Amino acid sequence: MKKIEAVIRHEKLNQVKAALESVDISGMTVQEVRGRGEQKGLEFINRAGKYRVDLLPKMLVTIVVPDNKVAAIVDALIHGARTGEIGDGKIFVSEVERCIRIRTGEEGDEAL
Amino acid sequence: MKKIEAVIRHEKLNQVKAALESVDISGMTVQEVRGRGEQKGLEFINRAGKYRVDLLPKMLVTIVVPDNKVAAIVDALIHGARTGEIGDGKIFVSEVERCIRIRTGEEGDEAL
Amino acid sequence: MKKIEAVIRHEKLNQVKAALESVDISGMTVQEVRGRGEQKGLEFINRAGKYRVDLLPKMLVTIVVPDNKVAAIVDALIHGARTGEIGDGKIFVSEVERCIRIRTGEEGDEAL
Amino acid sequence: MAYDTGAIAWMITSTALVLMMTPAVGFFYGGMLKKNSMLSMLGQSLIVMGVVTIIWVVFGFSLAFGADTGGLIGNLDFLLMNGIGVFSEPPALLWFPTTIPPLLYMLFQATFAMITVALIIGGIAERMKLAAITVFLAIWTALIYIPVAHWVWGGGWIFQMGALDFAGGTVVHITAGVTVLAATLVIGKRLSKTNGCTEEPAHNIPFVVLGGALLWIGWFGFNGGSALGANEIAVNAVVVTTISAAVAGVVWGLISYLHLGRTSVLGMITGAVVGLVAITPASGFVDTNGAMVIGIIAPMISYGAIQLRKRLGFDDALDVWACHGMGGTFGAIATGLLATSAVNPAVVSQGLLYGGGIDLLVKQLTAVGAVWAFVFVVVFVLMKVMVTVWPKWRISKEEERIGVDIVQHGENAYS
Amino acid sequence: MAYDTGAIAWMITSTALVLMMTPAVGFFYGGMLKKNSMLSMLGQSLIVMGVVTIIWVVFGFSLAFGADTGGLIGNLDFLLMNGIGVFSEPPALLWFPTTIPPLLYMLFQATFAMITVALIIGGIAERMKLAAITVFLAIWTALIYIPVAHWVWGGGWIFQMGALDFAGGTVVHITAGVTVLAATLVIGKRLSKTNGCTEEPAHNIPFVVLGGALLWIGWFGFNGGSALGANEIAVNAVVVTTISAAVAGVVWGLISYLHLGRTSVLGMITGAVVGLVAITPASGFVDTNGAMVIGIIAPMISYGAIQLRKRLGFDDALDVWACHGMGGTFGAIATGLLATSAVNPAVVSQGLLYGGGIDLLVKQLTAVGAVWAFVFVVVFVLMKVMVTVWPKWRISKEEERIGVDIVQHGENAYS
Amino acid sequence: MAYDTGAIAWMITSTALVLMMTPAVGFFYGGMLKKNSMLSMLGQSLIVMGVVTIIWVVFGFSLAFGADTGGLIGNLDFLLMNGIGVFSEPPALLWFPTTIPPLLYMLFQATFAMITVALIIGGIAERMKLAAITVFLAIWTALIYIPVAHWVWGGGWIFQMGALDFAGGTVVHITAGVTVLAATLVIGKRLSKTNGCTEEPAHNIPFVVLGGALLWIGWFGFNGGSALGANEIAVNAVVVTTISAAVAGVVWGLISYLHLGRTSVLGMITGAVVGLVAITPASGFVDTNGAMVIGIIAPMISYGAIQLRKRLGFDDALDVWACHGMGGTFGAIATGLLATSAVNPAVVSQGLLYGGGIDLLVKQLTAVGAVWAFVFVVVFVLMKVMVTVWPKWRISKEEERIGVDIVQHGENAYS
Ligand SMILES: Nc1ncnc2c1ncn2[C@@H]1O[C@H](COP(=O)(O)OP(=O)(O)O)[C@@H](O)[C@H]1O
Ligand SMILES: Nc1ncnc2c1ncn2[C@@H]1O[C@H](COP(=O)(O)OP(=O)(O)O)[C@@H](O)[C@H]1O
Ligand SMILES: Nc1ncnc2c1ncn2[C@@H]1O[C@H](COP(=O)(O)OP(=O)(O)O)[C@@H](O)[C@H]1O
């Protein structure tokens, strides 16, 4: 099975969730992260000057799925998260060897 | 070596730590995440109505270990984290290629 | 391509960023985590006693890079994060199969 | 002129307490929004304090409390505090207190204007440009607050008619609540309310409780200070105010328990505020029994009004209409039912339930109806004009997604 | 009747200040718990305000401050504020002030009842069902607070005996502290305390300091207002109160530095509160030197009591017994040592150290002992009965794990 | 002696309000720092309250307000409150009020000393050891605050010369601001400012606004209470104070909008505080027009001073010099321009713009210049001595990285 990690915009989370539901994915884990890519940060102001924050708040969505679902999910993620402007984020796919459901001890794809 | 990632209930962290100690594991990294699996969320109320939070707070525990310890740890995790009710969480195991201890520069299993 | 995950001290983040920039890396994702390794925690006090916090705040820096850059980055990370005292943290390297830039749909090394 | 030092002591204290209510509203409201909107509420509170102070000192106080012109508006005698210096005699106008310097009366009234304007920001939150909000609220102060304050407290037609509004059921709460109703009908919904989005939870309920608690304490000055002296009427006002708020808080908790199975803390503090709102017009005229009744019924009304608002679907972000508009309306009517000369000799016709017949009730209904109508029409037209002549009054979808704090203030509340 | 406007001004202000102390306790306590319990403290504060107000207005004030019956309890003359309307003459009872309307005296005393009840919630935190807490606190108000208030301030036997308790060492702090001691012996520990769990750190120390600072300011009304007028006794009370609190704060900081090597901020604000507690019974009777002494010793006593509590192992979650029970006990005894007629002519026998012999000290010890015993026994029995007849008084282990805020209120403090 | 109960009521209230300002400063400052430094600001506020109270009661009040010796310092008549018990006659000294007990005057002045000392901690934040800060501030109170308070308010040479400082432009704000300037020149920069680090954002702007709002309310007591009675001067003071703060808040917002394109909330609350600072010395002497002028200009001056500080590069962490030092300087000078006997008969020579010539202005400039010079020199020398004789006054680089809260207090603000 595969782990898909997507770094997306905060405000896109709801749309990404909706897109994932449309391809029948409900299991996921979400975290608040900060990141930097081509988008080099944002300017903020304090009481009498500007300062730059180079690490911007993003959401990291992690989904572990059977190999055959990866393509559909990547499409759904892109669909839900894209605005076309710098800062839309990235998707990383890697291999997972085992998955166990703690409640039942089940293993493998049925545990997802 | 392997990376074991367990998504568990918040309130089970202490028990999981104890279970891991009993199999001699002390190195770990912990984060607050939110997630959704079969448990479809919880209902909350606001001042005059209900609303549903579909992403519930969970803890993500990450432990990198030599290959031979995986089985014991998975058992310990299940033991510490199980309540038998929906929402107990999942364990994912994947391959890690290298580990380096920053302080000393050591590599491999002795760096764990 | 490879995923490099480094658990570092909070207060070292700026130096690590600088070190990474010196090897031309700007894309990264950063999270606040808590962890435990050889450093067994810190003592805190409350209004009339001490207590021990065994999970200490750390930063987790994740960088996905083409294979050939790994060595330079590991060196840069060590350089930026080391103080020589317990608690400096660890670096984990693992394999990533695919990377997609959401904005453009590009894949592979050029998406990094 | 020798003033009463006890009255001065109490009225300065009252003024400080009411002044505190405007930032308190910022916390009460801001805590209920998501965290990227917190600063917008605090920032707008500060803007309101500045803009209203300037309007009030320059011409507002004069138009509201200067000698009456045709029942509708005051005159310009007191422009820029002309004639009400701290050592001048109080003007010979019925509504000016003689126990405290007129300048203190001016400041006390200024703090009322501030808090009223500040109430509005919670209803129209998270969609207008900051400049548009500021301009709207400044015009609103001149076009709505000043005339209504004059009608009710400054010798205008409602004052002459004899309707009772001790501390601002009509002037403060109905004006603010109806404004939000009319305004949101024009400006429409926030993005997050347009499709079936899940409701955003309050980001910091402790701040809501902090703001609410400070409002409660501030209300000692709001209602108690409206006696304009350290006297029995002030004492009665603070007693009935506390009773109504305390009761209304637990009643709301009970309603939420019965309706939803949990005792919402957000609900209880909202209930307390609604109890304060409803007792406001009545606080100088009802006794402790009346206060209990008001404290029990007011939260039911506002709770119901929130359900209605949900069904009707206008986007009053923090239910200013349901809590202040409807709470104030109920309080004004309840005054017509429960007023008694036993607590205030100024009550000439007793409330209906105290044997005074419908005389007072009719006056109360007239005042309420007139203020509702006036506010609704003026605000609706004003907003329509504004969105027409100022096409960029609204923040963009992209900006709404990012959040108003960063977009308008360049700041995050927390980091 | 012509009251003193200065007295009214000060007493309304005092009442507002004391009212503020109940939500302030919510912040002071809530900040010390983990973040899933924050709302329980705030919510219970609001419930206390509502429930106590209703009890007080309906019958509590009457039973506490109505004419005495056998030294034990007041009568029912003032049910539902009968006879103490704002324009009625003050009743001809020794303890009623004549400078302010009796209705204001009623409200001032109501705020004392609220804060006393609110103090308890921090000790019994995180295990009882909300309904059980509410019922317990309501019965407690009737069974403990009202009689003890009558004994000490409303003409009861301690009043007659001549023991001194200016603002509530026995009535407020000993009753609350001993209640938590007795109650936790019955209800037992929280899950998190049963096995060798690591201590949960305070989730928001700034909120603790905020609550503590508001308590300090509120104590101006608490002690200063207990003079029931704007007079020299009030001035003395606020002066010695400030001295004791300020000194006790740094002394606690010093103790924590010497004991643990760090100057705990949580400790310093706790110390300040302990200094306020201890000066409370003494504040109308001791001078500035006495205040220094109290401010130095009180934190040592409460710090020691916390160590003792840890050894004894009862689960007083926020050390209400150590801080209020023991702080109040020390203050009551210190009054017997340090009282002086130089600051209050009402001191008939000077404190031991001021040359008055042991007369006053004996009375103080009698009052303290009687209140300790009465409260301990009644609460212990009451709780035993309650846990027996109401088997579901406790939240389940699963609920404890999830946290009281979500379980009881359906809300998270922060999101 | 029969005091005025209205005056007592107002002055106790004022004292409570000013006392609140010291923890309020803790929130105002702490919120602007990173979250690992929050507790250091709150903890130091509490330490200041304790240490200054002890100094003040033991000898500080006596040296500041005892009978004058050569224009420079008071005498030791009032050591340990000797002779100013609550029932003693007010001493026959010009500056003692006769409407309130001298003990209340003592406490009111004590709160001024506290807040002044507390202002300093924001400027020198995040580098000194806690013990070093405490020792420095204690010596500072004795060496700087007490003499300057004596000069201006206690019958010293500035008092005799007739320069006007109603509530502490020189005594409070210039002393604190110039101290930070001199001290940071000696103690140098924080690590985070030494290399080209990115600026750390304020960690909790709502806390900054909370602290600022409480400061604003507290300032009612600060300026209003400086009239030492419930009279017309007090009324004028609170009116002009509110106007200046309200105006200055929006002006700073406007400046930040014009300069940076956004309306900073942090900027607006800072502006309000600067408006309060600048009106402080003037508040008993200028009318509402004067207040508007001060409210408009003060934020421009402090905003400019911040830009200057950035260029000069000394590490005044929270711009105490720019806001308090320069704001107080401007206010003191503005008093020389705008003072008018229309609001206070004590104004013998009118301000320059009110036709009084340069007489008053020259006195104001003399006072300002003398206090600047005195404070700068004494603090610079004191600090130089301190860093020499106490080599471990500074926290280490490693400790700075970890953060002062954990290192000095063993605590995290939030968890
Ligand atoms: N090489 C990388 N390794 C880890 N995370 C990355 C990397 N590149 C980008 N990211 C993450 O993706 C987010 C978006 O990247 P960005 O370059 O701004 O997007 P885009 O390229 O679509 O404009 C960043 O904030 C960061 O969290
Ligand atoms: N496919 C998945 N990918 C990533 N995280 C998942 C996935 N399924 C579950 N999780 C994580 O595990 C948590 C618990 O899952 P849940 O289905 O509620 O547990 P259980 O199946 O034991 O009842 C979720 O909250 C989520 O964080
Ligand atoms: N086996 C492990 N698995 C996951 N995370 C680990 C492991 N060992 C250490 N860590 C992470 O690295 C951090 C630093 O480890 P530590 O042992 O203190 O460093 P060092 O060995 O250099 O002194 C820990 O706080 C934890 O977050």
Side-chain angles (χ1 to χ4, degrees), chain B residues 45-54, chain D residues 199 201 252 260 262 270 307 310 318-319:
Chain B
I45 68 173
N46 60 18
R47 60 184 182 178
K50 303 199 179 200
Y51 63 96
R52 170 162 284 279
V53 170
D54 57 357
Chain D
E199 179 131 4
W252 194 296
L260 307 167
R262 293 281 190 286
T270 303
Q307 311 305 323
K310 287 187 180 172
L318 298 174
D319 283 313

Side-chain angles (χ1 to χ4, degrees), chain A residues 28-29 62 64 101 103, chain B residues 7 35-39 86-87 89-90:
Chain A
M28 70 179 84
T29 301
T62 306
V64 180
R101 169 172 285 138
R103 175 162 48 91
Chain B
V7 184
R36 185 165 76 171
E38 276 166 47
Q39 191 186 16
I86 283 196
K90 295 199 174 141

